[in-house]
mmCIF file of all heavy atoms in Angstrom:
data_model
loop_
_atom_site.group_PDB
_atom_site.id
_atom_site.type_symbol
_atom_site.label_atom_id
_atom_site.label_comp_id
_atom_site.label_asym_id
_atom_site.label_seq_id
_atom_site.Cartn_x
_atom_site.Cartn_y
_atom_site.Cartn_z
ATOM 1 N N ASN R 2 29.273 -16.186 27.141
ATOM 2 C CA ASN R 2 30.235 -15.318 26.418
ATOM 3 C C ASN R 2 29.767 -15.116 24.976
ATOM 4 O O ASN R 2 28.662 -15.522 24.560
ATOM 5 C CB ASN R 2 31.632 -15.912 26.521
ATOM 6 C CG ASN R 2 31.738 -17.206 25.739
ATOM 7 O OD1 ASN R 2 30.848 -17.689 24.997
ATOM 8 N ND2 ASN R 2 32.857 -17.932 25.936
ATOM 9 N N LEU R 3 30.592 -14.459 24.166
ATOM 10 C CA LEU R 3 30.176 -14.108 22.824
ATOM 11 C C LEU R 3 29.987 -15.297 21.925
ATOM 12 O O LEU R 3 29.102 -15.309 21.074
ATOM 13 C CB LEU R 3 31.213 -13.169 22.224
ATOM 14 C CG LEU R 3 31.287 -11.759 22.865
ATOM 15 C CD1 LEU R 3 32.441 -10.981 22.240
ATOM 16 C CD2 LEU R 3 29.959 -11.031 22.676
ATOM 17 N N ASP R 4 30.767 -16.359 22.111
ATOM 18 C CA ASP R 4 30.550 -17.562 21.305
ATOM 19 C C ASP R 4 29.188 -18.193 21.593
ATOM 20 O O ASP R 4 28.539 -18.647 20.682
ATOM 21 C CB ASP R 4 31.683 -18.589 21.639
ATOM 22 C CG ASP R 4 33.029 -18.170 21.107
ATOM 23 O OD1 ASP R 4 33.081 -17.407 20.142
ATOM 24 O OD2 ASP R 4 34.019 -18.560 21.703
ATOM 25 N N VAL R 5 28.785 -18.196 22.870
ATOM 26 C CA VAL R 5 27.461 -18.703 23.197
ATOM 27 C C VAL R 5 26.398 -17.771 22.596
ATOM 28 O O VAL R 5 25.377 -18.270 22.110
ATOM 29 C CB VAL R 5 27.304 -18.823 24.736
ATOM 30 C CG1 VAL R 5 25.887 -19.248 25.090
ATOM 31 C CG2 VAL R 5 28.332 -19.811 25.293
ATOM 32 N N ALA R 6 26.587 -16.486 22.626
ATOM 33 C CA ALA R 6 25.605 -15.542 22.078
ATOM 34 C C ALA R 6 25.454 -15.790 20.580
ATOM 35 O O ALA R 6 24.337 -15.711 20.049
ATOM 36 C CB ALA R 6 26.083 -14.100 22.384
ATOM 37 N N ILE R 7 26.575 -16.083 19.887
ATOM 38 C CA ILE R 7 26.469 -16.363 18.444
ATOM 39 C C ILE R 7 25.649 -17.623 18.198
ATOM 40 O O ILE R 7 24.766 -17.643 17.300
ATOM 41 C CB ILE R 7 27.860 -16.480 17.815
ATOM 42 C CG1 ILE R 7 28.556 -15.121 17.889
ATOM 43 C CG2 ILE R 7 27.800 -17.025 16.409
ATOM 44 C CD1 ILE R 7 30.019 -15.203 17.490
ATOM 45 N N SER R 8 25.893 -18.640 18.978
ATOM 46 C CA SER R 8 25.102 -19.875 18.802
ATOM 47 C C SER R 8 23.665 -19.703 19.176
ATOM 48 O O SER R 8 22.764 -20.319 18.578
ATOM 49 C CB SER R 8 25.714 -21.034 19.663
ATOM 50 O OG SER R 8 25.606 -20.684 21.025
ATOM 51 N N GLN R 9 23.393 -18.790 20.120
ATOM 52 C CA GLN R 9 21.975 -18.508 20.445
ATOM 53 C C GLN R 9 21.309 -17.806 19.265
ATOM 54 O O GLN R 9 20.075 -17.946 19.106
ATOM 55 C CB GLN R 9 21.890 -17.667 21.689
ATOM 56 C CG GLN R 9 22.216 -18.461 22.984
ATOM 57 C CD GLN R 9 22.347 -17.589 24.194
ATOM 58 O OE1 GLN R 9 22.600 -16.399 24.112
ATOM 59 N NE2 GLN R 9 22.086 -18.167 25.375
ATOM 60 N N GLY R 10 22.067 -17.045 18.508
ATOM 61 C CA GLY R 10 21.468 -16.394 17.308
ATOM 62 C C GLY R 10 21.068 -17.470 16.294
ATOM 63 O O GLY R 10 19.994 -17.331 15.664
ATOM 64 N N ASN R 11 21.895 -18.496 16.160
ATOM 65 C CA ASN R 11 21.517 -19.648 15.271
ATOM 66 C C ASN R 11 20.212 -20.306 15.778
ATOM 67 O O ASN R 11 19.384 -20.732 14.964
ATOM 68 C CB ASN R 11 22.634 -20.626 15.182
ATOM 69 C CG ASN R 11 23.872 -20.064 14.499
ATOM 70 O OD1 ASN R 11 23.782 -19.154 13.681
ATOM 71 N ND2 ASN R 11 25.025 -20.568 14.870
ATOM 72 N N LEU R 12 20.067 -20.414 17.100
ATOM 73 C CA LEU R 12 18.877 -21.020 17.658
ATOM 74 C C LEU R 12 17.644 -20.176 17.384
ATOM 75 O O LEU R 12 16.582 -20.742 17.000
ATOM 76 C CB LEU R 12 19.058 -21.216 19.164
ATOM 77 C CG LEU R 12 17.808 -21.704 19.938
ATOM 78 C CD1 LEU R 12 17.349 -23.050 19.427
ATOM 79 C CD2 LEU R 12 18.141 -21.793 21.427
ATOM 80 N N ALA R 13 17.806 -18.836 17.535
ATOM 81 C CA ALA R 13 16.681 -17.991 17.200
ATOM 82 C C ALA R 13 16.244 -18.132 15.748
ATOM 83 O O ALA R 13 15.068 -18.095 15.371
ATOM 84 C CB ALA R 13 17.037 -16.539 17.558
ATOM 85 N N ALA R 14 17.242 -18.245 14.841
ATOM 86 C CA ALA R 14 16.937 -18.398 13.410
ATOM 87 C C ALA R 14 16.257 -19.715 13.146
ATOM 88 O O ALA R 14 15.268 -19.798 12.358
ATOM 89 C CB ALA R 14 18.228 -18.277 12.608
ATOM 90 N N ALA R 15 16.656 -20.798 13.851
ATOM 91 C CA ALA R 15 16.028 -22.084 13.672
ATOM 92 C C ALA R 15 14.587 -22.071 14.161
ATOM 93 O O ALA R 15 13.709 -22.677 13.578
ATOM 94 C CB ALA R 15 16.827 -23.155 14.415
ATOM 95 N N ARG R 16 14.353 -21.346 15.259
ATOM 96 C CA ARG R 16 12.966 -21.252 15.728
ATOM 97 C C ARG R 16 12.053 -20.470 14.813
ATOM 98 O O ARG R 16 10.913 -20.733 14.632
ATOM 99 C CB ARG R 16 12.970 -20.619 17.147
ATOM 100 C CG ARG R 16 13.494 -21.553 18.222
ATOM 101 C CD ARG R 16 13.686 -20.860 19.533
ATOM 102 N NE ARG R 16 14.071 -21.810 20.581
ATOM 103 C CZ ARG R 16 14.461 -21.425 21.824
ATOM 104 N NH1 ARG R 16 14.538 -20.122 22.105
ATOM 105 N NH2 ARG R 16 14.813 -22.315 22.696
ATOM 106 N N ALA R 17 12.677 -19.462 14.132
ATOM 107 C CA ALA R 17 11.920 -18.744 13.140
ATOM 108 C C ALA R 17 11.604 -19.603 11.978
ATOM 109 O O ALA R 17 10.528 -19.429 11.343
ATOM 110 C CB ALA R 17 12.720 -17.497 12.720
ATOM 111 N N ASP R 18 12.452 -20.559 11.655
ATOM 112 C CA ASP R 18 12.142 -21.502 10.550
ATOM 113 C C ASP R 18 10.903 -22.283 10.837
ATOM 114 O O ASP R 18 10.214 -22.776 9.908
ATOM 115 C CB ASP R 18 13.366 -22.406 10.311
ATOM 116 C CG ASP R 18 14.511 -21.626 9.659
ATOM 117 O OD1 ASP R 18 14.307 -20.593 9.084
ATOM 118 O OD2 ASP R 18 15.695 -22.168 9.767
ATOM 119 N N ILE R 19 10.646 -22.575 12.108
ATOM 120 C CA ILE R 19 9.460 -23.344 12.463
ATOM 121 C C ILE R 19 8.171 -22.547 12.028
ATOM 122 O O ILE R 19 7.217 -23.089 11.509
ATOM 123 C CB ILE R 19 9.390 -23.620 13.955
ATOM 124 C CG1 ILE R 19 10.599 -24.520 14.356
ATOM 125 C CG2 ILE R 19 8.081 -24.296 14.343
ATOM 126 C CD1 ILE R 19 10.683 -24.787 15.838
ATOM 127 N N LEU R 20 8.213 -21.254 12.324
ATOM 128 C CA LEU R 20 7.047 -20.402 11.927
ATOM 129 C C LEU R 20 6.915 -20.331 10.416
ATOM 130 O O LEU R 20 5.761 -20.321 9.885
ATOM 131 C CB LEU R 20 7.271 -18.977 12.487
ATOM 132 C CG LEU R 20 7.305 -18.855 14.031
ATOM 133 C CD1 LEU R 20 7.545 -17.390 14.394
ATOM 134 C CD2 LEU R 20 6.049 -19.372 14.659
ATOM 135 N N ALA R 21 8.055 -20.338 9.720
ATOM 136 C CA ALA R 21 7.993 -20.327 8.251
ATOM 137 C C ALA R 21 7.456 -21.619 7.670
ATOM 138 O O ALA R 21 6.797 -21.625 6.661
ATOM 139 C CB ALA R 21 9.392 -20.000 7.681
ATOM 140 N N ALA R 22 7.705 -22.719 8.374
ATOM 141 C CA ALA R 22 7.295 -24.003 7.856
ATOM 142 C C ALA R 22 5.859 -24.355 8.249
ATOM 143 O O ALA R 22 5.138 -25.012 7.445
ATOM 144 C CB ALA R 22 8.221 -25.099 8.384
ATOM 145 N N ASP R 23 5.384 -23.874 9.411
ATOM 146 C CA ASP R 23 4.113 -24.335 9.931
ATOM 147 C C ASP R 23 2.993 -23.402 9.457
ATOM 148 O O ASP R 23 2.327 -22.704 10.243
ATOM 149 C CB ASP R 23 4.141 -24.417 11.416
ATOM 150 C CG ASP R 23 2.920 -25.053 12.047
ATOM 151 O OD1 ASP R 23 2.178 -25.714 11.256
ATOM 152 O OD2 ASP R 23 2.682 -24.917 13.227
ATOM 153 N N HIS R 24 2.748 -23.366 8.196
ATOM 154 C CA HIS R 24 1.595 -22.621 7.661
ATOM 155 C C HIS R 24 1.223 -23.213 6.294
ATOM 156 O O HIS R 24 2.052 -23.755 5.591
ATOM 157 C CB HIS R 24 1.877 -21.132 7.514
ATOM 158 C CG HIS R 24 2.833 -20.759 6.446
ATOM 159 N ND1 HIS R 24 2.450 -20.647 5.114
ATOM 160 C CD2 HIS R 24 4.170 -20.520 6.460
ATOM 161 C CE1 HIS R 24 3.511 -20.342 4.385
ATOM 162 N NE2 HIS R 24 4.568 -20.287 5.200
ATOM 163 N N ALA R 25 -0.063 -23.126 6.022
ATOM 164 C CA ALA R 25 -0.565 -23.586 4.723
ATOM 165 C C ALA R 25 -0.157 -22.594 3.605
ATOM 166 O O ALA R 25 0.117 -21.449 3.855
ATOM 167 C CB ALA R 25 -2.050 -23.788 4.773
ATOM 168 N N PRO R 26 -0.195 -23.062 2.332
ATOM 169 C CA PRO R 26 0.100 -22.133 1.242
ATOM 170 C C PRO R 26 -0.926 -20.978 1.266
ATOM 171 O O PRO R 26 -2.096 -21.165 1.536
ATOM 172 C CB PRO R 26 -0.091 -22.999 -0.015
ATOM 173 C CG PRO R 26 0.152 -24.401 0.476
ATOM 174 C CD PRO R 26 -0.340 -24.449 1.861
ATOM 175 N N LEU R 27 -0.407 -19.804 0.990
ATOM 176 C CA LEU R 27 -1.249 -18.649 1.019
ATOM 177 C C LEU R 27 -2.212 -18.589 -0.168
ATOM 178 O O LEU R 27 -1.859 -19.033 -1.301
ATOM 179 C CB LEU R 27 -0.378 -17.352 0.999
ATOM 180 C CG LEU R 27 0.555 -17.191 2.199
ATOM 181 C CD1 LEU R 27 1.436 -15.975 1.989
ATOM 182 C CD2 LEU R 27 -0.227 -17.067 3.479
ATOM 183 N N PRO R 28 -3.453 -18.134 0.021
ATOM 184 C CA PRO R 28 -4.370 -18.029 -1.088
ATOM 185 C C PRO R 28 -3.890 -16.955 -2.053
ATOM 186 O O PRO R 28 -3.137 -16.002 -1.703
ATOM 187 C CB PRO R 28 -5.691 -17.598 -0.424
ATOM 188 C CG PRO R 28 -5.288 -17.007 0.864
ATOM 189 C CD PRO R 28 -4.060 -17.680 1.303
ATOM 190 N N VAL R 29 -4.283 -17.099 -3.316
ATOM 191 C CA VAL R 29 -3.867 -16.186 -4.388
ATOM 192 C C VAL R 29 -5.072 -15.505 -4.917
ATOM 193 O O VAL R 29 -6.044 -16.100 -5.390
ATOM 194 C CB VAL R 29 -3.105 -16.954 -5.494
ATOM 195 C CG1 VAL R 29 -2.759 -16.008 -6.650
ATOM 196 C CG2 VAL R 29 -1.920 -17.632 -4.929
ATOM 197 N N LEU R 30 -5.061 -14.158 -4.884
ATOM 198 C CA LEU R 30 -6.108 -13.333 -5.456
ATOM 199 C C LEU R 30 -5.721 -12.915 -6.857
ATOM 200 O O LEU R 30 -4.612 -12.377 -7.028
ATOM 201 C CB LEU R 30 -6.410 -12.140 -4.556
ATOM 202 C CG LEU R 30 -7.458 -11.141 -5.058
ATOM 203 C CD1 LEU R 30 -8.823 -11.793 -5.084
ATOM 204 C CD2 LEU R 30 -7.462 -9.896 -4.245
ATOM 205 N N SER R 31 -6.603 -13.106 -7.808
ATOM 206 C CA SER R 31 -6.255 -12.786 -9.198
ATOM 207 C C SER R 31 -7.364 -11.949 -9.805
ATOM 208 O O SER R 31 -8.546 -12.059 -9.467
ATOM 209 C CB SER R 31 -6.028 -14.055 -10.005
ATOM 210 O OG SER R 31 -7.163 -14.829 -10.057
ATOM 211 N N ALA R 32 -6.991 -11.102 -10.786
ATOM 212 C CA ALA R 32 -7.962 -10.292 -11.559
ATOM 213 C C ALA R 32 -7.565 -10.475 -13.033
ATOM 214 O O ALA R 32 -6.412 -10.511 -13.369
ATOM 215 C CB ALA R 32 -7.912 -8.829 -11.096
ATOM 216 N N GLU R 33 -8.609 -10.464 -13.864
ATOM 217 C CA GLU R 33 -8.366 -10.744 -15.316
ATOM 218 C C GLU R 33 -9.334 -9.908 -16.158
ATOM 219 O O GLU R 33 -10.481 -9.681 -15.766
ATOM 220 C CB GLU R 33 -8.611 -12.254 -15.561
ATOM 221 C CG GLU R 33 -8.333 -12.665 -16.954
ATOM 222 C CD GLU R 33 -8.558 -14.152 -17.180
ATOM 223 O OE1 GLU R 33 -9.077 -14.792 -16.251
ATOM 224 O OE2 GLU R 33 -8.278 -14.651 -18.238
ATOM 225 N N ALA R 34 -8.854 -9.382 -17.201
ATOM 226 C CA ALA R 34 -9.651 -8.676 -18.238
ATOM 227 C C ALA R 34 -9.401 -9.341 -19.587
ATOM 228 O O ALA R 34 -8.235 -9.388 -19.997
ATOM 229 C CB ALA R 34 -9.391 -7.229 -18.246
ATOM 230 N N GLN R 35 -10.443 -9.790 -20.305
ATOM 231 C CA GLN R 35 -10.217 -10.466 -21.572
ATOM 232 C C GLN R 35 -11.409 -10.114 -22.508
ATOM 233 O O GLN R 35 -12.326 -9.385 -22.171
ATOM 234 C CB GLN R 35 -10.158 -11.964 -21.352
ATOM 235 C CG GLN R 35 -11.366 -12.606 -20.676
ATOM 236 C CD GLN R 35 -11.228 -14.090 -20.470
ATOM 237 O OE1 GLN R 35 -10.284 -14.685 -21.028
ATOM 238 N NE2 GLN R 35 -12.110 -14.672 -19.715
ATOM 239 N N SER R 36 -11.312 -10.708 -23.706
ATOM 240 C CA SER R 36 -12.340 -10.487 -24.769
ATOM 241 C C SER R 36 -12.453 -8.989 -25.060
ATOM 242 O O SER R 36 -13.579 -8.431 -25.224
ATOM 243 C CB SER R 36 -13.683 -11.069 -24.344
ATOM 244 O OG SER R 36 -13.596 -12.441 -24.149
ATOM 245 N N ILE R 37 -11.311 -8.324 -25.140
ATOM 246 C CA ILE R 37 -11.320 -6.867 -25.468
ATOM 247 C C ILE R 37 -11.281 -6.801 -27.013
ATOM 248 O O ILE R 37 -10.283 -7.221 -27.634
ATOM 249 C CB ILE R 37 -10.106 -6.203 -24.819
ATOM 250 C CG1 ILE R 37 -10.162 -6.331 -23.317
ATOM 251 C CG2 ILE R 37 -10.072 -4.727 -25.216
ATOM 252 C CD1 ILE R 37 -8.992 -5.775 -22.602
ATOM 253 N N ASP R 38 -12.341 -6.234 -27.627
ATOM 254 C CA ASP R 38 -12.495 -6.215 -29.068
ATOM 255 C C ASP R 38 -11.765 -4.939 -29.582
ATOM 256 O O ASP R 38 -12.315 -3.785 -29.476
ATOM 257 C CB ASP R 38 -13.945 -6.182 -29.456
ATOM 258 C CG ASP R 38 -14.141 -6.390 -30.967
ATOM 259 O OD1 ASP R 38 -13.197 -6.211 -31.699
ATOM 260 O OD2 ASP R 38 -15.264 -6.668 -31.354
ATOM 261 N N LEU R 39 -10.598 -5.159 -30.113
ATOM 262 C CA LEU R 39 -9.849 -3.991 -30.636
ATOM 263 C C LEU R 39 -10.338 -3.518 -32.007
ATOM 264 O O LEU R 39 -10.088 -2.380 -32.426
ATOM 265 C CB LEU R 39 -8.338 -4.331 -30.726
ATOM 266 C CG LEU R 39 -7.668 -4.702 -29.371
ATOM 267 C CD1 LEU R 39 -6.183 -5.052 -29.618
ATOM 268 C CD2 LEU R 39 -7.777 -3.535 -28.403
ATOM 269 N N LYS R 40 -11.077 -4.384 -32.767
ATOM 270 C CA LYS R 40 -11.559 -4.012 -34.088
ATOM 271 C C LYS R 40 -12.853 -3.191 -34.015
ATOM 272 O O LYS R 40 -12.966 -2.161 -34.701
ATOM 273 C CB LYS R 40 -11.758 -5.283 -34.899
ATOM 274 C CG LYS R 40 -12.289 -5.043 -36.287
ATOM 275 C CD LYS R 40 -12.439 -6.369 -37.067
ATOM 276 C CE LYS R 40 -12.995 -6.038 -38.502
ATOM 277 N NZ LYS R 40 -13.198 -7.319 -39.233
ATOM 278 N N ASN R 41 -13.824 -3.642 -33.262
ATOM 279 C CA ASN R 41 -15.142 -3.010 -33.181
ATOM 280 C C ASN R 41 -15.252 -2.085 -31.987
ATOM 281 O O ASN R 41 -16.220 -1.382 -31.842
ATOM 282 C CB ASN R 41 -16.225 -4.031 -33.158
ATOM 283 C CG ASN R 41 -16.184 -4.910 -34.437
ATOM 284 O OD1 ASN R 41 -16.056 -4.417 -35.511
ATOM 285 N ND2 ASN R 41 -16.254 -6.196 -34.227
ATOM 286 N N GLY R 42 -14.314 -2.132 -31.066
ATOM 287 C CA GLY R 42 -14.357 -1.276 -29.910
ATOM 288 C C GLY R 42 -15.164 -1.989 -28.783
ATOM 289 O O GLY R 42 -15.807 -2.979 -28.966
ATOM 290 N N VAL R 43 -15.093 -1.372 -27.664
ATOM 291 C CA VAL R 43 -15.712 -1.974 -26.456
ATOM 292 C C VAL R 43 -16.947 -1.178 -26.026
ATOM 293 O O VAL R 43 -17.512 -1.486 -24.974
ATOM 294 C CB VAL R 43 -14.707 -2.055 -25.305
ATOM 295 C CG1 VAL R 43 -13.582 -3.042 -25.630
ATOM 296 C CG2 VAL R 43 -14.123 -0.695 -24.950
ATOM 297 N N GLY R 44 -17.321 -0.158 -26.735
ATOM 298 C CA GLY R 44 -18.542 0.554 -26.407
ATOM 299 C C GLY R 44 -18.229 1.745 -25.444
ATOM 300 O O GLY R 44 -17.108 2.006 -25.045
ATOM 301 N N GLN R 45 -19.378 2.410 -25.175
ATOM 302 C CA GLN R 45 -19.309 3.614 -24.331
ATOM 303 C C GLN R 45 -19.606 3.250 -22.858
ATOM 304 O O GLN R 45 -20.043 2.170 -22.585
ATOM 305 C CB GLN R 45 -20.308 4.662 -24.821
ATOM 306 C CG GLN R 45 -20.131 5.098 -26.266
ATOM 307 C CD GLN R 45 -18.804 5.775 -26.513
ATOM 308 O OE1 GLN R 45 -18.370 6.549 -25.637
ATOM 309 N NE2 GLN R 45 -18.197 5.505 -27.684
ATOM 310 N N GLY R 46 -19.360 4.213 -21.968
ATOM 311 C CA GLY R 46 -19.765 4.081 -20.620
ATOM 312 C C GLY R 46 -18.581 3.759 -19.680
ATOM 313 O O GLY R 46 -17.433 3.832 -20.065
ATOM 314 N N ASN R 47 -18.990 3.453 -18.464
ATOM 315 C CA ASN R 47 -17.996 3.117 -17.428
ATOM 316 C C ASN R 47 -17.229 1.834 -17.785
ATOM 317 O O ASN R 47 -17.822 0.847 -18.195
ATOM 318 C CB ASN R 47 -18.746 2.959 -16.073
ATOM 319 C CG ASN R 47 -17.705 2.790 -14.954
ATOM 320 O OD1 ASN R 47 -17.340 1.672 -14.699
ATOM 321 N ND2 ASN R 47 -17.371 3.836 -14.286
ATOM 322 N N ALA R 48 -15.873 1.904 -17.546
ATOM 323 C CA ALA R 48 -15.075 0.731 -17.942
ATOM 324 C C ALA R 48 -15.403 -0.513 -17.166
ATOM 325 O O ALA R 48 -15.378 -1.657 -17.664
ATOM 326 C CB ALA R 48 -13.571 1.080 -17.784
#
């Protein structure tokens, strides 16, 4: 019945929590731009 269907929804959510827990931390890709000389400029050419 509907009460059982509602509890089965909780079971499906709990099984999804297993997938959320069973993985390593994701790698992080980063990009950085530094040492930008605002006084003398950065020169000509391709950035």
Side-chain angles (χ1 to χ4, degrees):
N2 66 10
L3 291 176
D4 290 333
V5 176
I7 293 172
S8 65
Q9 287 173 335
N11 295 332
L12 174 59
R16 288 173 175 168
D18 289 340
I19 299 176
L20 298 178
D23 189 16
H24 69 83
L27 298 176
V29 178
L30 178 65
S31 61
E33 182 180 7
Q35 59 181 347
S36 299
I37 301 175
D38 191 343
L39 299 179
K40 179 178 179 182
N41 301 312
V43 295
Q45 302 296 322
N47 185 275

